[in-house]
């Protein structure tokens, strides 16, 4: 049960916004909050608790006509509350005054929503210390002054500050992780940060002194700018000259060495050989492998590019080749091997053959993918490229894939609705962030399906193999129609839709001519029926309303017309809203 100190603090907070007797007992009949009852076990209205029912995690006090100044001390200065409170939702009341700096002591806050109140004054700088925040909604108030710097809150997914009187420049944000950003109708000024330009005009309109894309008003050049420009162009010219000299020198050298070139591979060059049975990755030095059925991929230098990763620690190509490898599966683009190195580290190595991409292009692509780090995307630890084949090294995830969890025979394993919804949220957020980051470079996942969704030790979903497909007109494995879906963002959305359908129905995407997306469409066309949902979800009594909501998102994603599918950002926003509703439903009504 919840500590008395926490109960007293919660009641005192509510009393600052509602009517109470002098003995701090709440008089408003909509609340059953009394000091001799328990917020979790006795289901206090609008209160959400942790699973053990030992602490309060959420307060959903929206649309209740509450008024009075926002006093956060009872929540944030009392560890019995502050240590567990993750959601504080106060939208649509008449709360006034400022947001007190004490908010920074509510360290666990992931959601702080105070939209449509009468709050005013400057936002405290201490807001930027809330580094667990995912959702910050201060829209439709009278806040003024500068926005605090939010660059440290890397997990922020939603920021809504529209319709206030904020001034100054748009501060630092980790825009690549934001699904929703809106500062429209304020008095902000200056240029819109480059990384925020993916958001639409709607996010910035109504600020007469904001400039730059996506708004049409151009930013004026500052006085020093033109001198800076001249210096910059001079710099480029100089760089060009240096490069040209290097090239000329190289050509000269190459010509000089031309005669000496027909010698065999140098001692340092190696041949990569891989047993086609998938049992071994081995290395032959300077000569072609003699094993009958081994695939030999010509002389290459031992160039394994290791990207920064704690797991990679001193990983060398030789180590990988020497280690025993076990074939885990052979997808349409090559095999996947489990490789256990001498020091006990286990890797998953993907081997792709015949990808017509130059080593340089491939390297650039991998480095670009590596830049966009997201907790729900499996990073490439290292890669290797030769003309014949590409190897990609990932951390081995022993918990398995979503495909296995849904369709594998795993006795006694349950896959509850809340976890399925968390999986949907995790994948959608990760995909939204990746699509946003790679919009310009046009790198989509290219093969999004449940066997490419893995689980980490904490059973959080992680998307693997991002960006491994060339844009060569791959047909989607689920779409038997004549329309070829290329590795585009729209195809990823289709893949995501199919994964959502799998989560909801528990059915295989394609099985003996059965096509999940078509089947769901036909069920919807005929008459709406709950039979579409996985039986285990029905018997668990998962919320039908929320399952239907998620199904509607899924159906939008598998729209046969690619251009009519929502984008990943929109999907993430929709699924996060469903998750919010789910969380709210756990906060009991009296
Ligand atoms: N990093 C990893 N750790 C553990 N298992 C993995 C990892 N990556 C993939 N797997 C699993 O290994 C199996 C084979 O993977 P592979 O990618 O070859 O197959 P696929 O996803 O069916 O095909 P493809 O992605 O090539 O279309 C799959 O079951 C997949 O879930």
């Amino acid at each position: 049960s919840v500590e008395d100190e926490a109960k007293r603090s919660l009641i005192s907070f509510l009393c600052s916004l509602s009517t109470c007797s002098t003995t701090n007992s709440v008089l408003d009949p909509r609340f059953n909050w009394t000091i001799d009852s328990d917020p979790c076990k006795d289901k206090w209205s609008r209160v959400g608790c942790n699973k053990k029912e030992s602490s309060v995690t959420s307060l959903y006090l929206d649309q209740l006509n509450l008024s009075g100044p926002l006093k956060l001390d009872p929540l944030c200065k009392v560890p019995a509350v502050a240590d567990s409170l993750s959601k504080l939702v106060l939208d649509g009341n008449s709360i006034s005054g400022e947001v007190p700096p004490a908010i920074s002591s509510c360290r666990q806050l992931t959601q702080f929503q105070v939209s449509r109140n009468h709050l005013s004054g400057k936002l405290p700088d201490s807001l930027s210390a809330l580094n667990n925040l995912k959702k910050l909604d201060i829209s439709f108030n009278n806040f003024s002054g500068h926005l605090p710097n939010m660059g440290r809150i890397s997990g922020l997914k939603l920021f809504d500050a529209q319709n206030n009187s904020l001034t100054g420049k748009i501060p630092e944000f980790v825009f690549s992780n934001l699904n929703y950003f809106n500062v429209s109708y304020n008095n902000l000024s200056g240029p819109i940060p480059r990384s925020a330009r993916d958001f639409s005009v709607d996010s910035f309109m109504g600020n007469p002194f904001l400039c730059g894309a996506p708004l049409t008003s151009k930013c004026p050049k500052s006085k020093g700018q033109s001198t800076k420009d001249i210096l910059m162009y001079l710099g480029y010219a100089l760089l060009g000259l240096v490069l040209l000299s290097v090239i000329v020198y190289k050509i000269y050298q190459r010509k000089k060495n031309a005669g000496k070139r027909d010698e065999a591979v140098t001692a340092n060059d190696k041949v990569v050989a891989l047993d086609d049975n998938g049992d071994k990755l081995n290395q032959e030095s300077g000569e072609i492998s003699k094993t009958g059925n081994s695939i030999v991929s010509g002389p290459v230098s031992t160039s394994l590019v290791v990207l920064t990763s704690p797991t990679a620690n001193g990983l060398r190509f030789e180590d990988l080749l020497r280690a025993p490898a076990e074939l885990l599966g052979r997808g349409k683009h090559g095999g996947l091997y489990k490789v256990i190195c001498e020091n006990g580290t286990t890797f998953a190595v993907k081997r792709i053959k015949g990808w017509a991409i130059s080593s340089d292009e491939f390297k650039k692509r991998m480095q670009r993918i590596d830049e966009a780090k997201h907790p729900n995307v499996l990073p490439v630890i290292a890669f290797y490229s030769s003309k014949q084949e590409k190897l990609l090294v990932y951390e081995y995830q022993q918990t398995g894939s979503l495909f296995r969890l849904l369709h594998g025979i795993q006795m006694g394993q349950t896959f509850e609705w809340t976890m399925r919804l968390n999986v949907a949220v995790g994948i959608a957020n990760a995909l939204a962030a990746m699509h946003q980051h790679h919009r310009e470079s046009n790198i989509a996942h290219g093969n999004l399906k449940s066997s490419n969704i893995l689980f980490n030790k904490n059973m959080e979903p992680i998307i693997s193999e991002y960006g491994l497909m060339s844009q060569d007109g791959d047909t989607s494995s689920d779409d038997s129609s004549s329309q070829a879906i290329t590795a585009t963002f729209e195809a990823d959305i289709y893949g995501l839709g199919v994964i959502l359908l799998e989560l909801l129905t528990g059915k295989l995407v394609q099985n003996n001519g059965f096509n999940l997306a078509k089947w769901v469409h036909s069920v919807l066309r005929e008459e709406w029926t709950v039979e579409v949902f996985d039986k285990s979800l029905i018997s668990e009594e998962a919320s039908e309303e929320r399952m239907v909501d998620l199904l509607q998102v899924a159906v939008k994603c598998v729209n046969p017309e690619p251009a009519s599918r929502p984008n990943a950002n929109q999907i993430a926003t929709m699924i996060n809203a469903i998750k919010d509703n789910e969380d709210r439903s756990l906060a009991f009504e009296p």
Side-chain angles (χ1 to χ4, degrees):
S1 56
V2 176
E3 289 173 39
D4 280 346
E5 193 192 14
K7 289 197 261 178
R8 270 195 299 276
S9 303
L10 291 168
I11 292 176
S12 139
F13 174 68
L14 185 58
C15 285
S16 66
L17 301 170
S18 170
T19 35
C20 288
S21 70
T22 41
T23 53
N24 259 10
S25 85
V26 184
L27 296 176
D28 187 333
R30 293 174 299 178
F31 296 99
N32 56 346
W33 299 22
T34 58
I35 198 72
D36 47 8
S37 61
D38 186 84
C40 301
K41 297 208 163 67
D42 297 310
K43 303 182 179 181
W44 280 12
S45 48
R46 307 284 192 132
V47 171
C49 291
N50 63 348
K51 271 203 173 133
K52 285 198 242 155
E53 301 198 325
S54 56
S55 58
V56 168
T57 54
S58 331
L59 292 179
Y60 298 104
L61 300 172
D62 51 322
Q63 323 282 356
L64 287 167
N65 231 348
L66 302 176
S67 60
L70 185 62
K71 289 184 180 163
L72 290 177
D73 281 10
L75 300 183
C76 302
K77 290 288 181 196
V78 178
V81 180
D83 289 352
S84 60
L85 188 67
S86 111
K87 294 181 184 176
L88 181 56
V89 179
L90 301 166
D91 306 300
N93 288 295
S94 302
I95 303 172
S96 53
E98 300 193 358
V99 173
I103 191 160
S104 61
S105 305
C106 268
R107 288 230 154 243
Q108 303 308 323
L109 275 188
T110 57
Q111 218 166 303
F112 181 60
Q113 290 177 223
V114 289
S115 74
R116 296 176 198 272
N117 277 287
H118 306 313
L119 291 160
S120 57
K122 191 177 174 299
L123 286 157
D125 285 329
S126 63
L127 205 57
S128 61
L130 293 176
N131 48 11
N132 290 313
L133 264 192
K134 291 201 160 57
K135 221 172 176 184
L136 179 57
D137 189 351
I138 53 165
S139 60
F140 297 93
N141 280 287
N142 302 317
F143 288 115
S144 55
H146 292 207
L147 276 168
N149 187 333
M150 309 296 260
R152 271 199 286 162
I153 314 181
S154 58
L156 198 63
K157 296 268 177 277
L158 177 147
F159 179 78
D160 195 350
Q162 62 178 298
N163 288 277
N164 279 287
S165 305
L166 297 161
T167 52
K169 287 188 176 166
I170 298 177
E172 231 179 88
F173 277 90
V174 185
F175 286 104
S176 57
N177 286 345
L178 277 162
N179 296 329
Y180 184 89
F181 180 80
N182 198 331
V183 289
S184 59
Y185 300 99
N186 280 286
N187 294 317
L188 295 168
S189 54
I192 292 171
R194 209 162 257 286
S195 45
R197 293 184 182 170
D198 287 339
F199 294 101
S200 72
V201 178
D202 298 350
S203 299
F204 305 100
M205 66 209 292
N207 291 283
F209 302 110
L210 267 186
C211 60
L215 294 177
T216 43
S217 53
K218 287 214 163 67
C219 294
K221 281 195 173 175
S222 64
K223 268 190 182 166
Q225 191 71 34
S226 44
T227 351
K228 261 191 208 162
D229 281 354
I230 293 171
L231 282 176
M232 190 176 76
Y233 290 128
L234 263 178
Y236 282 150
L238 211 65
L239 197 72
L241 214 66
V242 172
L243 277 176
L244 200 70
S245 332
V246 171
I247 292 167
V248 169
Y249 176 71
K250 287 259 173 195
I251 293 173
Y252 168 74
Q253 275 228 317
R254 196 170 282 181
K255 284 203 169 151
K256 210 170 135 194
N257 293 336
K260 308 171 190 172
R261 278 283 291 283
D262 44 342
E263 282 166 29
V265 196
T266 66
N268 285 334
D269 288 341
K270 315 275 180 191
V271 171
V272 180
L274 188 84
D275 187 337
D276 203 19
N277 294 329
D279 298 323
K280 240 183 224 167
L281 279 153
N282 59 38
Q283 172 195 329
E284 305 284 321
S285 187
E287 63 175 49
I288 284 173
S289 168
K290 295 177 185 77
T291 345
N293 53 0
S294 65
I295 303 162
V296 178
S297 38
V300 290
S301 65
T302 54
S303 52
L304 180 75
V305 180
V306 177
L307 299 161
T308 43
S309 157
T311 339
N313 238 341
L315 174 71
R316 289 176 315 156
F317 196 38
E318 288 86 348
D319 301 338
L320 266 185
L321 296 177
R322 217 179 290 129
E326 175 196 337
L327 181 71
L328 290 181
R330 205 179 280 282
K332 55 182 167 179
H333 300 280
L336 188 100
Y337 300 83
K338 177 180 175 182
V339 180
I340 307 171
C341 284
E342 258 170 18
N343 64 1
T345 337
T346 313
F347 297 103
V349 181
K350 181 93 182 178
R351 178 165 178 259
I352 304 175
K353 282 198 291 177
W355 183 354
I357 181 173
S358 74
S359 283
D360 257 10
E361 267 302 301
F362 179 70
K363 190 172 167 189
K364 269 192 217 143
R365 189 178 174 94
M366 286 304 122
Q367 279 163 345
R368 230 176 258 150
I369 292 171
D370 186 55
E371 281 163 19
K373 297 206 187 314
H374 190 280
N376 296 98
V377 177
L378 189 66
V380 178
I381 290 175
F383 61 86
Y384 160 84
S385 166
S386 74
K387 212 171 181 185
Q388 292 80 358
E389 65 187 6
K390 315 272 176 269
L391 299 181
L392 291 128
V393 185
Y394 294 96
E395 196 175 305
Y396 180 74
Q397 305 296 320
Q398 57 185 16
T399 325
S401 67
L402 175 62
F403 181 89
R404 228 179 71 190
L405 188 59
L406 276 167
H407 314 299
I409 312 145
Q410 277 161 327
M411 293 298 285
Q413 197 159 10
T414 54
F415 192 11
E416 294 165 1
W417 165 242
T418 40
M419 188 179 163
R420 293 188 198 207
L421 191 52
N422 282 341
V423 169
V425 170
I427 306 171
N429 285 342
L431 196 67
M434 294 302 276
H435 278 192
Q436 185 143 319
H437 190 92
H438 293 297
R439 194 169 297 174
E440 254 167 53
S441 46
N442 206 21
I443 304 176
H445 182 289
N447 194 18
L448 197 62
K449 55 182 179 176
S450 56
S451 64
N452 284 335
I453 306 294
L454 306 171
F455 288 101
N456 65 15
K457 288 184 209 108
N458 305 323
M459 282 311 275
E460 285 150 3
I462 22 179
I463 299 179
S464 82
E465 301 187 357
Y466 192 96
L468 290 204
M469 287 312 119
S470 50
Q471 288 161 23
D472 57 3
D474 279 316
T475 41
S476 156
S477 56
D478 178 43
D479 198 339
S480 49
S481 70
S482 59
Q483 171 199 23
I485 297 180
T486 50
T488 58
F489 296 119
E490 288 89 359
D492 281 0
I493 301 300
Y494 188 91
L496 176 61
V498 172
I499 291 174
L500 296 178
L501 291 178
E502 280 182 89
L503 283 168
L504 286 162
T505 63
K507 287 193 184 345
L508 277 172
V509 182
Q510 217 167 22
N511 197 12
N512 293 333
F514 171 81
N515 179 315
L516 184 59
K518 281 188 185 151
W519 176 70
V520 170
H521 275 300
S522 70
V523 172
L524 290 179
R525 249 198 320 271
E526 280 166 28
E527 201 186 319
W528 181 246
T529 163
V530 285
E531 268 163 38
V532 77
F533 297 122
D534 193 337
K535 280 198 183 66
S536 78
L537 292 176
I538 303 288
S539 51
E540 182 202 320
E541 291 183 7
S543 153
E544 202 183 309
E545 186 191 332
R546 258 133 7 235
M547 289 197 293
V548 171
D549 287 347
L550 192 62
L551 185 64
Q552 271 161 358
V553 178
V555 169
K556 283 188 184 130
C557 296
V558 295
N559 190 320
E561 185 49 59
S564 308
R565 296 171 197 156
N567 67 33
N569 247 325
Q570 293 165 325
I571 296 163
T573 310
M574 290 187 269
I575 301 183
N576 278 291
I578 299 173
K579 168 89 170 78
D580 276 355
N581 288 341
E582 176 74 19
D583 292 348
R584 290 176 70 105
S585 74
L586 302 173
F588 315 102
E589 298 294 334

